[in-house]
Amino acid sequence: MDKLRITGGRPLEGAVRISGAKNAALPVMAATLLAPGVHRLRNVPRLRDTQTFARVLELLGARVSFEGNLLTIDTLGVNSVEAPYELVKTMRASIYVLGPLLARFGRAKVSLPGGCAWGPRPVNLHLSGLQAMGAALDIEHGYIVGRDVKLRGAHIGFDVVSVGATAQLMMAAVLAQGTTVLENVALEPDVTVLGEVLVACGARIDGLGTRRLTIQGVGTLRPIDTTIIPDRIEAATFAAAAATTRGTIRLEGVVPDHFEVVLRKLEEAGCTLQRGTDSVTVSGPQRPRAVNVVTQPFPGFPTDMQAQTIAVCALADGTSVIEDTIYFDRFTHVPELARMGARIELKANVAVVKGVDRLYGAQVMATDLRASASLVIAALAAEGETLIDRIYHLDRGYETLEKKFSALGARIQRVS
Ligand code: UD1
């Protein structure tokens, strides 16, 4: 199993080009099932998750090819509606195929994702929304099964803001008969951009960028031709690395508005920022100041930056309080950071971080994608060598992470 060996203590300096966003690419990949034809998606990050999703589409009968970051998906030959457990269990986002399959074929058999390292992560909103649109769904041997489904418009109000459920029902509604109204939808750029991509293919969606969407079903859609937006979480992760290493990193090819809330928090922590139209330069302070963070749906502070922010706070002057209101159990990085000398007290979904003036290299273990990123950020700043085990989690969501950090002057190496 691959590990990362990092010798910390060097300020990171230079420019890094941010890849396309995994969480924007995955729903667009699912949306290709809505229209038979050849779809072109540019700037798709080459990651384990996008490759897994490509595999799911291939199993359904699509022809998929990756050339650099151009992903071409031919969905003309799709002839199966089954997404198997073996793939869905490795990537929950596979459930995104459910809505499009029901919308185009009236049938689907998609494995239930099951548990996750951060807790239960239910899909009840996906299922109840599709049921409200007329899909009779059964759970059979661990699979969600729909037969003879004719989706029709419905009025659906979400009691929890969900990125996945919003994207799922948006994709189902664009081909449903009649009008669907979705209330309390997610505003994450990944979701809004999915809506824009669908509109460009002929979908009728009003209210994108607001909490209420009105979707008029259409008969057919044209194939997708789009460029995936930059990954705001990758960008914010590099920004956090500048904060812990007293470095100066220019983030290139970004949309600063997409992670403005993180940038403001880093300013509060003492970072100096220079914002351009598609770049941000982040300079870390001598030592970060403590900050308090509460994760919220967009435009609030992203839960996907909670772990990396704790790594910054671990080195801060003062005590920080970090609360995750989206995923209560998403703190597996805390005991690993403690092995590096961090002082963190965890009470339910609140981490109280008493900053220390240095962290020390240690052998640690990655437990999920963003937890791994937080260990990398801590290791880059720590004294001595850190060996991070199980980095396959990082490969799910960061494109050529160690190459990008090496180019910024980090001593980082992948070892087997
Ligand atoms: C997406 C992101 C993930 C991010 C998360 C929150 C992708 C592929 N993943 O995950 O990186 O951390 O948004 O920003 O884009 N919930 C329910 N019932 C449901 C669905 C969700 O109760 O049916 C709850 C969840 O438990 C959670 C909250 O809603 O507390 C938000 O989850 P959601 O936005 O759906 O997350 P994902 O789409 O799975």
Side-chain angles (χ1 to χ4, degrees):
M1 224 183 274
D2 283 359
K3 299 180 175 63
L4 275 184
R5 182 187 292 141
I6 298 174
T7 308
R10 268 199 194 162
L12 301 184
E13 305 281 345
V16 59
R17 178 143 290 271
I18 298 305
S19 298
K22 164 179 90 73
N23 288 353
L26 297 175
V28 175
M29 288 175 76
T32 63
L33 291 168
L34 291 166
V38 180
H39 305 257
R40 282 189 186 79
L41 284 55
R42 286 170 293 278
N43 201 32
V44 176
R46 294 195 76 141
L47 301 166
R48 209 155 64 94
D49 274 9
T50 49
Q51 263 141 9
T52 303
F53 210 102
R55 186 77 198 113
V56 173
L57 295 175
E58 276 174 346
L59 283 180
L60 297 173
R63 285 172 50 195
V64 183
S65 76
F66 242 129
E67 288 159 67
N69 293 103
L70 167 69
L71 182 62
T72 306
I73 304 173
D74 180 349
T75 53
L76 263 175
V78 170
N79 54 3
S80 161
V81 293
E82 180 170 340
Y85 178 61
E86 287 66 38
L87 289 175
V88 179
K89 75 173 182 202
T90 66
M91 191 188 57
R92 303 175 52 83
S94 314
I95 196 163
Y96 276 146
V97 299
L98 180 62
L101 286 174
L102 291 173
R104 183 166 149 209
F105 299 102
R107 293 181 298 128
K109 182 175 176 194
V110 177
S111 171
L112 265 173
C116 154
W118 336 330
R121 294 192 76 188
V123 290
N124 59 308
L125 297 173
H126 299 236
L127 302 186
S128 60
L130 290 167
Q131 281 162 338
M133 295 177 72
L137 299 175
D138 296 308
I139 305 298
E140 294 174 7
H141 308 288
Y143 281 76
I144 307 157
V145 180
R147 304 178 179 91
D148 295 324
V149 169
K150 279 201 178 52
L151 292 176
R152 48 180 157 66
H155 195 127
I156 297 162
F158 297 111
D159 50 6
V160 179
V161 176
S162 161
V163 171
T166 305
Q168 181 83 274
L169 294 175
M170 200 193 278
M171 290 188 282
V174 290
L175 288 185
Q177 206 169 45
T179 305
T180 301
V181 177
L182 303 178
E183 307 253 22
N184 199 25
V185 299
L187 297 178
E188 270 69 0
D190 314 316
V191 174
T192 306
V193 162
L194 170 69
E196 288 165 1
V197 167
L198 292 169
V199 167
C201 298
R204 292 176 60 195
I205 308 177
D206 280 331
L208 282 171
T210 74
R211 292 270 176 220
R212 181 189 160 102
L213 299 178
T214 306
I215 303 169
Q216 200 80 51
V218 295
T220 52
L221 292 172
R222 292 182 292 278
I224 296 168
D225 188 339
T226 195
T227 301
I228 301 300
I229 55 171
D231 194 322
R232 66 200 162 99
I233 304 299
E234 186 199 6
T237 300
F238 278 95
T244 56
T245 65
R246 303 185 187 118
T248 294
I249 301 181
R250 182 179 153 88
L251 312 167
E252 290 183 344
V254 296
V255 180
D257 276 356
H258 287 177
F259 58 116
E260 179 58 29
V261 66
V262 180
L263 292 174
R264 266 192 260 127
K265 200 48 82 175
L266 289 172
E267 277 181 318
E268 201 184 315
C271 291
T272 314
L273 303 188
Q274 265 179 291
R275 293 173 176 80
T277 43
D278 62 355
S279 69
V280 181
T281 304
V282 184
S283 298
Q286 271 308 306
R287 185 176 178 194
R289 285 192 292 269
V291 289
N292 297 332
V293 167
V294 180
T295 67
Q296 298 284 354
F298 191 86
F301 197 93
T303 172
D304 284 349
M305 276 304 294
Q306 176 258 103
Q308 303 89 316
T309 306
I310 287 188
V312 176
C313 294
L315 283 162
D317 187 7
T319 299
S320 308
V321 180
I322 315 286
E323 179 179 356
D324 199 325
T325 68
I326 311 286
Y327 290 111
F328 286 13
D329 298 324
R330 197 181 192 181
F331 288 99
T332 52
H333 40 289
V334 165
E336 300 300 314
L337 290 170
R339 303 195 67 252
M340 302 176 70
R343 290 176 60 204
I344 307 170
E345 211 179 300
L346 192 57
K347 283 193 196 134
N349 63 327
V350 180
V352 178
V353 188
K354 295 197 173 104
V356 293
D357 60 8
R358 80 188 52 179
L359 294 172
Y360 298 94
Q363 287 191 28
V364 290
M365 199 165 71
T367 40
D368 75 48
L369 171 57
R370 306 304 170 185
S372 314
S374 99
L375 297 177
V376 171
I377 288 170
L380 289 168
E383 210 173 279
E385 187 179 288
T386 298
L387 200 59
I388 307 180
D389 203 352
R390 301 201 181 172
I391 54 155
Y392 54 83
H393 293 290
L394 277 173
D395 297 333
R396 294 189 53 184
Y398 289 92
E399 202 179 32
T400 62
L401 181 95
E402 71 267 25
K403 278 198 193 132
K404 287 184 176 182
F405 273 123
S406 284
L408 296 170
R411 286 168 291 185
I412 180 168
Q413 205 187 356
R414 187 178 281 251
V415 291
S416 328

